[in-house]
Amino acid sequence: MGQVKSQFTEDELQDYEDLTYFTKKEILYAHKKFKALAPEKVSHNKNCKLKLAQVLQYPELKVNPFGDRICKVFSSSNDGDITFEDFLDMMSVFSDCSPKSVKAEHAFRIFDFDNDDMIGKNDLRQVITRLIGYNNTLSDNDVDQLILQILEEADLDDDGALSFAEFEHIIDKSSDFTNSFRIRL
């Protein structure tokens, strides 16, 4: 632990601890996981920027149909490339200690593909397509019907899209949301 810890000052670790849901030990472990994605690059610069493709090699992101969206939401440069601070923020939000409200805010941003602060029909189509996979057996008509059912149940103001408040209302009803919206370090 001493070798990795030497990359950070006590003040840096304290700041990270204050800004995340992690302990100093967990922060150091997160850095170890980040470093494993590009050991030579991170050894020279503890907060270097890793390309999206490198970050998507993280096991739980690699198999997640929203891995690229997750990275883009947490990327400080909006291109999907990730610094250690971005990675730490991402892992903190996906941790067990992160409150449901914080998870809901980030889930909304991940599902809002067009970044218009609403989850509309096109956003829902992309969510469904990713969830069922690209080799799905649902026809376009089936997907359209599913979108209409979602909006019928969740679009409380009948504007054809889900606002954050409507999305949060759905999340509040979901007992399994916090368990499914996590990534283990």
Side-chain angles (χ1 to χ4, degrees), residues 1-10 12-13 24 28 31 46:
M1 186 161 112
Q3 181 184 4
V4 175
K5 190 173 183 178
S6 67
Q7 287 191 275
F8 297 100
T9 67
E10 272 303 312
E12 286 174 318
L13 282 174
K24 290 177 184 174
L28 293 172
H31 189 262
K46 68 183 177 221

Side-chain angles (χ1 to χ4, degrees), residues 110-166:
I110 290 164
F111 297 154
D112 180 15
F113 286 84
D114 59 10
N115 300 315
D116 67 352
D117 295 326
M118 298 291 282
I119 297 178
K121 290 178 182 176
N122 288 332
D123 297 318
L124 289 170
R125 180 175 304 286
Q126 288 192 57
V127 168
I128 292 165
T129 300
R130 286 176 181 233
L131 286 174
I132 61 176
Y134 292 100
N135 296 324
N136 73 73
T137 57
L138 291 180
S139 69
D140 286 343
N141 189 46
D142 291 337
V143 173
D144 288 340
Q145 289 301 311
L146 187 53
I147 291 168
L148 288 175
Q149 284 182 302
I150 292 167
L151 290 174
E152 188 175 307
E153 287 189 34
D155 182 16
L156 303 176
D157 61 6
D158 292 324
D159 65 352
L162 302 179
S163 66
F164 176 68
E166 291 166 328

Side-chain angles (χ1 to χ4, degrees), residues 37-96:
L37 296 170
E40 289 185 18
K41 191 171 185 179
V42 179
S43 290
H44 296 300
N45 178 0
K46 68 183 177 221
N47 199 33
C48 64
K49 187 185 285 191
L50 300 184
K51 294 287 183 195
L52 174 62
Q54 290 172 297
V55 180
L56 288 175
Q57 293 308 302
Y58 192 81
E60 288 191 79
L61 290 174
K62 192 175 194 173
V63 298
N64 190 313
F66 299 97
D68 62 320
R69 284 293 302 158
I70 292 167
C71 290
K72 286 178 183 169
V73 164
F74 284 93
S75 174
S76 55
S77 57
N78 296 321
D79 58 5
D81 294 351
I82 298 282
T83 64
F84 172 65
E85 290 178 0
D86 298 335
F87 182 79
L88 187 62
D89 187 33
M90 175 176 64
M91 297 310 284
S92 178
V93 167
F94 279 93
S95 74
D96 289 333

